[in-house]
Amino acid sequence: AWGWSVVNGYENGNYYPANGVTRGQAAIMVNNSQEPEWRVDVVDPTPTADGSLLVEVSDESPEAMTIPSGATSVTLAAWDFTAGDDAELDSLTVHQYGITSLSSTHQLYLNEGNTRMTSGTSVNSTSHEATFNNINFAIDSGETRTLSVRLDVGTTGSTGEVGIEIASASKVDAG
């Protein structure tokens, strides 16, 4: 519903799916559903390059799923990193989108395959970003390596859509 602009949430950016809906809020949702617009950018399948590191959405990135409360090591997104010259990925900032607020006990991790590359971090509730620092992930010239963001959900009572994306090329710091 959020992706199709039917619901917008509250002014503070949060959603409270367990709350009742007023007649006015219901009218807005009915009106918005008459001509919905997809608000999430469609990923351009054409890869983009900046310098000597190419970043693409990986085939290992999941499309959609239901994640139960308390689930661990759930892959939210994956990217292929291909080096034109020897490169090292130093840090990566990801952005959470969707209508669900993650629980205060959630943790995100960066993995290569089943190997955890970072300690846990959480999504900032204001910027909706999480940064993985000191990755020191070496990628040899011509090599492609895949990294995924995994989620330990924690305890939550909310449901809805959630996704993780790299917000821009400036959020990938490769030396």
Side-chain angles (χ1 to χ4, degrees):
W2 176 86
W4 281 104
S5 68
V6 174
V7 297
N8 294 313
Y10 291 87
E11 288 180 11
N12 66 4
N14 289 323
Y15 290 81
Y16 303 101
N19 286 5
V21 177
T22 67
R23 191 177 328 175
Q25 291 167 329
I28 289 171
M29 288 187 280
V30 169
N31 184 59
N32 289 350
S33 70
Q34 300 305 304
E35 294 182 30
E37 293 182 27
W38 185 245
R39 72 170 86 204
V40 179
D41 292 334
V42 175
V43 176
D44 184 352
T46 306
T48 58
D50 184 22
S52 64
L53 187 64
L54 174 73
V55 182
E56 313 177 77
V57 175
S58 174
D59 290 341
E60 295 176 21
S61 202
E63 292 191 23
M65 70 189 97
T66 300
I67 305 171
S69 179
T72 60
S73 199
V74 177
T75 301
L76 295 179
W79 300 279
D80 293 330
F81 294 82
T82 304
D85 299 315
D86 288 352
E88 183 174 283
L89 183 63
D90 300 319
S91 67
L92 177 66
T93 301
V94 296
H95 175 259
Q96 176 214 336
Y97 63 89
I99 64 169
T100 298
S101 296
L102 296 173
S103 78
S104 61
T105 59
H106 80 277
Q107 289 287 289
L108 293 178
Y109 302 93
L110 199 58
N111 279 43
E112 181 181 30
N114 289 323
T115 303
R116 184 176 288 171
M117 307 295 294
T118 62
S119 56
T121 189
S122 59
V123 173
N124 180 289
S125 62
T126 303
S127 68
H128 302 288
E129 291 186 342
T131 300
F132 300 100
N133 289 309
N134 303 314
I135 300 171
N136 304 321
F137 185 67
I139 308 167
D140 295 332
S141 178
E143 181 181 37
T144 298
R145 295 181 72 181
T146 302
L147 292 178
S148 62
V149 172
R150 300 225 182 151
L151 169 68
D152 286 352
V153 176
T155 304
T156 183
S158 63
T159 60
E161 300 169 7
V162 65
I164 294 290
E165 64 189 350
I166 298 174
S168 70
S170 67
K171 300 299 182 181
V172 178
D173 181 19

